[in-house]
Every structure is written in structure tokens, then in C-alpha cells.
Amino acid sequence: ASMVQILTNSSLFCMQTLKSKEGPTTCRDNGDGKQVIIDGDVESLTTWPMVNVDVAGPNSVVANITGLGEVFAVRYAFWSRDNRGCCGKNDPTSGPCPLANCPLKSSSGLPANPFVAHIVEGKCKCLPPQVCDE
């Protein structure tokens, strides 16, 4: 799998959740540092489906979003309840992820950093301190 996921429902964007056993999800950070209540599953692979990617150049990839509608956000190697990211079965706080487990790498073999970005007018707009608009 590419580990690239896209979001087609902007109301389900959340950087960090606090899930109660009953009721809606509390989003601790909606990307703007604000806490909001979200009625929906913000972590599932239905909300954030995996997409295939192809190398488009030395510093870019192209995601195949055919049939998915408008895209509001993209993320790579992001750990969630339904997607363990590049760590496989390991919880990322329990120790290091296996080496070379993520598919996107530089020409020298270094892995790409995990990221999340909004899509604004067809281009990535990363959340600070990330930079992805070049």
C-alpha cells in the first residue's frame, strides 16, 4: 500500500481525537488548534481511503483519486486506529517503527516524513510547522 490517504468530507478533518465510548467524537485539534465536536468517524479507512500513487518527478508523486470526488486533505504514513501507518502492528509510542517500512523514499533511500495537508485550489497547504507548498 502507498500509505497515502485522502479525505473527501471536510467536516471530518481532525488532527487529534478524544473518543468517548458513547456520543460524538471530540476533536482536540481541527488543524487550526481549535477543539470541536464531530459527529462521524474521523479515523476510519472509509473516511480516509488509501490511494495509489505514481512517481511524477524527483520531488513529487501523483495520487489516483479517480471516482472519489472532491479532495479536502491528504496524509501520508499517518497513524490511526484503522491504519497503523508504517509501523505495522506496533504502536508508534512503544518503540521505533521497522526500518524501510514506508514506501516513499528519496533516491538515496531515506524515507519520506509523515505529513498531513489541506488541499486548497488543487494544491497542498501544510499545517505549520510543515512546509509543502514548493
Side-chain angles (χ1 to χ4, degrees):
S2 72
M3 294 304 196
V4 175
Q5 297 173 279
I6 56 103
L7 177 70
T8 58
N9 183 339
S10 63
S11 69
L12 295 178
F13 185 87
C14 183
M15 292 296 296
Q16 183 181 16
T17 61
L18 174 63
K19 180 71 175 155
S20 63
K21 293 188 182 205
E22 296 179 19
T25 299
T26 298
C27 177
R28 290 182 174 174
D29 181 356
N30 69 348
D32 294 324
K34 297 177 184 146
Q35 183 168 304
V36 296
I37 302 298
I38 296 178
D39 189 18
D41 190 347
V42 300
E43 294 183 359
S44 77
L45 290 175
T46 303
T47 302
W48 285 94
M50 293 274 187
V51 294
N52 292 323
V53 296
D54 293 312
V55 175
N59 298 314
S60 61
V61 295
V62 174
N64 182 353
I65 59 170
T66 304
L68 295 174
E70 188 172 359
V71 174
F72 295 97
V74 61
R75 66 187 186 185
Y76 170 68
F78 203 86
W79 191 92
S80 70
R81 177 194 70 230
D82 290 347
N83 174 31
R84 299 299 180 153
C86 296
C87 290
K89 296 182 283 184
N90 297 344
D91 182 328
T93 59
S94 67
C97 293
L99 291 174
N101 220 31
C102 279
L104 296 182
K105 297 176 183 60
S106 70
S107 58
S108 61
L110 295 173
N113 287 327
F115 70 86
V116 62
H118 291 286
I119 303 298
V120 179
E121 297 178 6
K123 297 193 183 256
C124 287
K125 181 180 179 196
C126 284
L127 305 172
Q130 299 175 108
V131 177
C132 67
D133 57 353
E134 298 176 11

